[in-house]
């Protein structure tokens, strides 16, 4: 079965802390997406990656294809980073996204 | 427009009524996807369209759900005889293609409440 698992499900941290959210998947993929969803809001695509590492501002996404694992890091976290972060993959041979359950991140001032 | 537009943003309907949800993708995006996020649940795939190819309907939960995409642009998701379990946020996304190099742009979603 093609599955995507995220951890932790919930994460609360203090402003300024370094945040790591993990994503593991069961079989080979073509691409992996990290998405951000604010309360009541739509979804924003943060990264799409198929190998290596990408950085955008305080956000860093890495992927290890051999280990079938990706991480999303947030440096110098801020309360405005509070959101649900969702990992989604496209399994090899498929076209649609399969989503993890999301990680609810709360950054306290 | 600059982004993916969905309408209405909120819809409350009575059980048994039909509803139509609209998605206006980014101009030039050939791929269009519908996803659903039920309360407390993760996102699930419903259907996708790619150009003139037959749509992938494998995620539609029942035959009460249907979708069409006219002229390769605007898409309408129709739910007939709505049930309370249909209550969810329905999200539309579009991209230039379905290859792995194409990112997605999501709409803000339609929150459907069946009472």
């Amino acid at each position: 079965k093609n599955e995507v698992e995220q951890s932790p499900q919930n994460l609360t941290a203090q402003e300024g802390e370094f945040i790591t959210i993990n994503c593991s998947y069961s079989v080979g993929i073509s691409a992996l997406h990290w998405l951000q969803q604010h309360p009541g809001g739509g979804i924003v695509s943060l990264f799409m990656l198929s190998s290596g590492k990408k950085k955008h501002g305080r956000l860093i996404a890495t992927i290890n294809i051999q280990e079938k694992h990706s991480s999303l890091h947030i440096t110098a976290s801020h309360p405005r980073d509070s959101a649900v972060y969702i990992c989604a993959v496209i399994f090899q041979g498929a076209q649609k996204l399969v989503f993890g359950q999301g990680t609810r991140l709360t950054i306290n001032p | 427009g600059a982004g993916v537009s969905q309408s209405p943003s909120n819809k409350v309907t009575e059980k048994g009524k039909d509803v139509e949800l609209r998605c206006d993708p980014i101009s030039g995006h050939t791929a269009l996807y519908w996803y659903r996020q039920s309360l407390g649940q993760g996102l699930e795939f419903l259907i996708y369209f790619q150009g003139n190819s037959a749509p992938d309907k494998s995620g539609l939960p029942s035959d009460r759900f249907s979708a069409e995409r006219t002229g390769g642009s605007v898409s309408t998701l129709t739910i007939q005889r709505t049930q309370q379990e249909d209550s969810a946020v329905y999200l539309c996304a579009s991209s230039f293609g379905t290859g792995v190099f194409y990112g997605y742009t999501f709409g803000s979603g339609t929150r459907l409440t069946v009472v």
Side-chain angles (χ1 to χ4, degrees):
Chain A
K1 181 180 178 183
N2 295 347
E3 292 182 337
V4 182
E5 297 286 337
Q6 280 186 243
S7 64
Q9 287 188 315
N10 291 281
L11 178 58
T12 300
Q14 292 300 120
E15 183 173 357
E17 287 188 36
F18 181 81
I19 302 299
T20 296
I21 300 170
N22 296 300
C23 175
S24 297
Y25 47 92
S26 54
V27 296
I29 63 169
S30 301
L32 181 144
H33 294 251
W34 280 103
L35 310 170
Q36 181 191 55
Q37 186 174 34
H38 282 279
I43 291 178
V44 174
S45 179
L46 298 175
F47 296 102
M48 182 182 70
L49 57 163
S50 55
S51 65
K53 175 181 176 178
K54 287 190 176 180
K55 183 176 188 294
H56 182 73
R58 296 180 293 105
L59 301 177
I60 304 167
T62 64
I63 188 168
N64 185 317
I65 297 296
Q66 287 72 33
E67 294 186 2
K68 298 185 177 58
H69 180 270
S70 174
S71 293
L72 176 68
H73 305 286
I74 305 174
T75 62
S77 59
H78 190 277
R80 64 175 174 268
D81 297 326
S82 298
V84 175
Y85 292 84
I86 303 168
C87 171
V89 305
I90 301 175
F91 288 107
Q92 288 177 350
Q95 304 291 351
K96 60 202 178 199
L97 287 171
V98 176
F99 299 87
Q101 288 296 308
T103 295
R104 184 174 300 278
L105 174 66
T106 303
I107 304 296
N108 293 319
Chain B
V4 177
S5 177
Q6 289 189 246
S7 61
S9 54
N10 281 283
K11 176 72 176 178
V12 179
T13 189
E14 291 181 352
K15 178 180 173 182
K17 300 282 189 184
D18 297 353
V19 294
E20 285 190 351
L21 312 180
R22 176 187 168 107
C23 173
D24 201 340
I26 291 175
S27 178
H29 279 194
T30 60
L32 185 147
Y33 303 78
W34 283 99
Y35 296 94
R36 177 171 76 170
Q37 187 174 38
S38 302
L39 185 63
Q41 302 293 316
L43 283 147
E44 61 174 328
F45 165 79
L46 296 177
I47 185 171
Y48 98 90
F49 300 86
Q50 169 56 37
N52 295 320
S53 302
D56 178 349
K57 304 179 181 180
S58 60
L60 294 178
S62 78
D63 59 8
R64 296 186 295 103
F65 287 72
S66 63
E68 62 177 20
R69 189 179 185 192
T70 54
S73 180
V74 173
S75 177
T76 303
L77 177 68
T78 301
I79 308 173
Q80 295 178 309
R81 306 181 302 282
T82 51
Q83 303 294 313
Q84 288 185 329
E85 63 261 27
D86 300 334
S87 296
V89 175
Y90 289 81
L91 286 155
C92 176
S94 70
S95 71
F96 276 112
T98 56
V100 300
F101 301 107
Y102 299 110
Y104 288 68
T105 301
F106 284 84
S108 296
T110 293
R111 183 176 298 276
L112 175 67
T113 304
V114 181
V115 297

